[in-house]
Amino acid sequence: MSKGIYVATIEPNSGKSVVVLGLMRMLLGKTAKVGYFRPIIEDTKEGEFDNHINTVVSYFELDINYKKTFAYKRSEVLELYNKGKSGDVIDHVIEKYKYLEERFDIVLVEGTDFSHENSSLELDINMLISKNLGLPVIIVSRGDSSNNLSEVIDNVQLAHDTFKEEVDVLSIMTNKVNPDDVSQLKALLQKRISCGTDITVIPKIKSLASPTVKEIVKKLNGEVLFGKDMINNQVHSFNVATMQLRNYLNQLKDDCLVITAGDRADIILGALQANISKNYPKISGIILTGGLMPEDSILKLIEGLSSVVPIINVKDGTFAVANTTGKIRSRIYAENIEKIETSIATFEKHVNTDKLANDLITFKSEIFTPRMFQYNLLQRALQQKKHIVLPEGYDERVLRAAARLIDAHVVDLTLIGEENKIKEHIETLDIPLNPKDINIVAPQKSPHFEDYVNTFYELRKHKGVNLDMAKDAMSDVSYFATMMIHKGHADGMVSGAAHTTAHTLRPALQFIKTKPGVNIVSSIFFMCLEDRVSIFGDCAINPNPNAEQLAEIAISSAKSAQDFGVEPKLAMLSYSSGASGKGEDVERVREATEIVKEKAPHIKIEGPIQYDAAVDMRIGKSKLPDSEVAGQASVLIFPDLNTGNNTYKAVQRETGALAIGPMLQGLNKPVNDLSRGCTADDIYSTVIITAIQAQDL
């Protein structure tokens, strides 16, 4: 079951609140612990609550802190986007949502309102947020945006297709439809959108479309003189009283708003008298314009009446007031219980709630974005803080990554190098890292140096190592850092920004050694593509693995995928798919596949298979129609280092994918190698992965 659902729209005044209120009632009927979240709210004044949040939380009496129900105000998001920090927006939204997800059975997420000009940006933001939260989407569209049903259908299909390219669309609900067109529109939409997406059509409800006197007062910045207890009266129409009373009385309609100058005592008293007369319609209120107040005697007379509708005084002139009132759109707010209950009743009448609830319960998203993956990594690392050693303490990238890691409180760090020199680098480069927050060690000045030398000598004397050689080795930053792990003074090591892979890996192979039953150390990259995370192996260590080694790399990679939250579906890559190819290379892949099936029959695996058939569902099903891996492989095992290394770099450069790694697998304790072209972000991610590996020991 999905832990949340996202309600989005593509245009203003879609009636999204009707859907949100109805969904909340539906969800509370299925489970008691329902959360509510708005990633982005409108700008509010200090101390003022967002109306949507206040309405939902107060009416349904949700046990949730207001500050936890949203991530940003609109102006804050625009400022961050203008600074090129859109990624920060998504990261913070994920963090806020995950807080609620952990505490509630399901979270209802409401998208933005499209109440401003930059609707294309809002559309992108809503799709980006729903995608990175991994939530199914309900799209709400307007059915009164055109008098032509064909245009409405085109708009709905465009909305559906736009979202469908990026996210899972659970349902599309077209709201505010002319009641006479409901059946026809639904049939036409079901014919046009025939991919299984649920189609709902909701008619326009007059009482929901009409603003209340309260909404009009707020928009006009008016002062309520009388009738405050009737401020929620709905306004179905309005008219301006400029003629004489005897003529104006014929203009009155049910629930109309009377707009007149504040000195027209005849209109004011006549409208009030008509309101209590059985022969005239009931009015919703009276607006007095021009900042004019009735005379004291008139006010005294009104005050003494037993029944008074809201009477509002505004400063603007009659024409301006009428013009503004005509543009006011109805809103639903906490105090208007009647509108809330009408909204819920409308939703329940026109939406198949049983089907919708079942679709939500059975929903499983296949989307797993890089930011979701990175968030999960960070949260896992925070569960059990580990100590990671970074031997290249003078490298600027290492220092900048260290600053981020310390700021996130995710690991304890040791940097190898002379303390004064590292401090000088931090100051010169203006890196926001306090040296007091990290451990800095120069190998030969360490109190453990002699112990490390003796330990290395004992471990390697059978290989001809003497004490002088051991001392030279322990003076090397990679050997010293690796010995810290061996002795339990650190939990893992990340190196390679300024050293070769051989320099990083050699000491680990000499005395960290491989896990029991593992014969080969291999590597994987986490390839964070736009909508999924794939695992590539081996792309950094083994040049030409034989069939047995290739099988071991595959099994290790499957376990790593499982450990990091990726369901392993293994593709053993080659230049042919299935049984069609011949030749030594493809036979080696075929043999490796059979070894994996024999040693680890629980693993879903396909091989040999070509890259396109492994990742593209259409091609995969055409070449291997009965495969449960083809087209949806998550772990891709390359036949040799040349192919793997070139492919991961090609995918990274051509698609903009984030490549995290390489992560070494098979060692007793985690040691990870960096590319010498790595960035501070690469180091940051690799340290977090190393910390997670250390948790499993």
Side-chain angles (χ1 to χ4, degrees), residues 351-377:
V351 176
N352 187 341
T353 54
D354 288 338
K355 181 181 184 304
L356 184 60
N358 184 67
D359 289 346
L360 187 59
I361 290 170
T362 57
F363 172 81
K364 183 180 179 182
S365 177
E366 299 296 329
I367 296 173
F368 191 47
T369 68
R371 293 200 174 274
M372 291 164 61
F373 179 67
Q374 289 175 292
Y375 174 85
N376 290 341
L377 291 181

Side-chain angles (χ1 to χ4, degrees), residues 442-444 448-457 468-484 507 511:
Q444 293 183 339
H448 299 295
F449 184 71
E450 291 300 326
D451 178 46
Y452 286 6
V453 169
N454 291 325
T455 300
F456 184 71
Y457 167 71
D468 287 336
M469 295 167 66
K471 185 172 291 187
D472 287 342
M474 284 304 109
S475 299
D476 180 272
V477 292
S478 290
Y479 273 88
F480 185 88
T482 307
M483 185 59 76
M484 285 182 67
F511 54 90

Side-chain angles (χ1 to χ4, degrees), residues 14 19 21 51 190 217 253 292 307 350 375 387 458 461 463 490 516 566 656 693:
S14 63
V19 175
L21 291 167
N51 177 63
Q190 288 175 331
V217 171
K253 298 178 181 178
L292 300 173
S307 176
H350 296 281
Y375 174 85
H387 182 180
E458 292 295 333
K461 63 183 181 182
K463 292 290 187 179
V566 177
Q693 285 181 290

Side-chain angles (χ1 to χ4, degrees), residues 226 268-269 272-273 276 298-309 311:
F226 300 97
I268 298 169
L269 295 177
L272 290 173
Q273 187 63 38
I276 61 176
I298 302 299
L299 293 173
K300 185 176 180 181
L301 179 58
I302 296 172
E303 189 176 2
L305 295 176
S306 58
S307 176
V308 181
V309 296
I311 300 178

Side-chain angles (χ1 to χ4, degrees), residues 333-348:
Y333 46 88
E335 296 85 356
N336 198 328
I337 303 300
E338 183 179 345
K339 273 195 176 183
I340 294 174
E341 292 180 347
T342 300
S343 298
I344 294 171
T346 300
F347 181 89
E348 291 177 341

